[in-house]
């Protein structure tokens, strides 16, 4: 009888040892897999990618400004999230171009912009006073004979543009006097 119980005991021990071995192999596999994943992550971090990003801002007055930045991309998900409110224009391996339409006039116009009239009566925006004749943008020809004299004189001298509302107000006011060509 002693032999039976000794046999049963050793069979149980073997089963326990086999289960411990299987659990050990399972845990080792998980541990090795986790280490490989960490190693892959560190490879990705070491293989960063720097790209030129061009940010185009389009303003109501037609001005387009460009800012060039160099971004190191560690995570594509984070990169795209950062530029979520920009519209993708073009991309390649070394460069990405984004654009954003801004509901405002450009900083250039706010600082140096003047509405004025050219010699032929075209409504223009000038960089500086109209006398300097540095046209930024042309709109339409104005029937100067219909203009109120004070408005005509203001346009000849130059009306500074400092806000979006003022920009839109002057355009609307002058559209009433636009020459309609057929």
């Amino acid at each position: 009888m002693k032999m039976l119980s000794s046999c049963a005991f050793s069979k149980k021990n073997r089963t326990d040892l086999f289960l411990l071995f299987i659990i050990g192999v399972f845990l080792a596999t998980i541990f090795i897999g986790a280490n490989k994943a960490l190693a892959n992550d560190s490879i990705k971090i070491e293989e960063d990618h720097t790209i030129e990003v061009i940010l185009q801002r389009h303003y109501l007055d037609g001005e387009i400004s460009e800012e060039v930045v160099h971004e190191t991309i560690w995570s594509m998900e984070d990169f795209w999230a950062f530029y979520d409110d920009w519209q993708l224009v073009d991309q390649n391996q070394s460069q990405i171009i984004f654009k954003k339409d801004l509901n405002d006039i450009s900083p250039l116009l706010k600082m140096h912009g003047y509405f004025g009239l050219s010699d032929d009566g075209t409504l223009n925006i000038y960089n500086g006073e109209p006398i300097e004749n540095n046209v930024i943008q042309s709109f339409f020809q104005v029937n100067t004979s219909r203009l109120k004299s004070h408005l005509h004189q203001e346009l000849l001298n130059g009306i500074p543009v400092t806000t979006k509302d003022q920009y839109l107000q002057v355009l609307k006011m002058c559209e009433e006097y636009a020459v309609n060509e057929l």
Side-chain angles (χ1 to χ4, degrees):
M1 265 227 191
K2 257 189 171 182
M3 226 175 196
L4 265 183
S5 68
S6 138
C7 245
F9 181 72
S10 66
K11 192 175 189 179
K12 183 177 185 319
N13 280 345
R14 279 187 272 160
T15 305
D16 289 344
L17 284 173
F18 181 73
L19 284 176
L20 284 173
F21 175 75
I22 295 296
I23 291 171
V25 168
F26 178 73
L27 290 174
T29 304
I30 290 174
F31 180 75
I32 290 169
N35 282 341
K36 282 184 180 178
L38 287 173
N40 286 341
D41 285 348
S42 65
I43 289 170
K44 286 178 188 173
I45 289 172
E46 290 171 338
E47 294 176 3
D48 66 318
H49 186 67
T50 301
I51 192 162
E52 182 179 76
V53 178
I54 299 175
L55 303 172
Q56 296 177 342
R57 291 173 178 86
H58 294 241
Y59 295 94
L60 287 176
D61 54 281
E63 185 73 22
I64 299 173
S65 71
E66 282 193 356
E67 177 184 359
V68 177
V69 294
H70 291 87
E71 292 276 355
T72 301
I73 300 175
W74 299 101
S75 159
M76 288 307 292
E77 186 177 317
D78 292 343
F79 176 80
W80 290 114
F82 186 77
Y83 291 104
D84 186 42
D85 58 339
W86 291 80
Q87 181 183 353
L88 178 65
V89 175
D90 193 19
Q91 74 178 41
N92 59 42
Q93 289 291 2
S94 61
Q95 183 182 72
I96 295 180
I97 302 172
F98 290 109
K99 96 172 198 176
K100 186 185 282 190
D101 293 320
L102 298 173
N103 189 19
D104 200 1
I105 58 174
S106 65
L108 171 69
L109 203 59
K110 289 178 181 178
M111 291 174 43
H112 303 287
Y114 284 82
F115 274 106
L117 292 174
S118 64
D119 292 339
D120 69 350
T122 301
L123 179 67
N124 295 316
I125 290 187
Y126 296 88
N127 184 8
E129 295 182 10
I131 199 165
E132 296 171 21
N133 205 24
N134 190 358
V135 176
I136 296 174
Q137 184 178 13
S138 297
F139 294 98
F140 45 81
Q141 195 165 10
V142 174
N143 185 342
T144 55
S145 64
R146 290 185 49 228
L147 271 178
K148 296 178 183 172
S149 61
H150 74 282
L151 179 56
H152 187 234
Q153 190 58 48
E154 284 181 36
L155 285 169
L156 290 175
N157 293 337
I159 299 172
V161 183
T162 56
T163 66
K164 174 185 120 178
D165 290 337
Q166 181 191 26
Y167 170 84
L168 295 173
Q169 180 184 12
V170 172
L171 272 179
K172 185 177 179 181
M173 183 173 48
C174 290
E175 280 177 345
E176 294 177 34
Y177 303 101
V179 174
N180 294 325
E181 295 182 29
L182 298 174

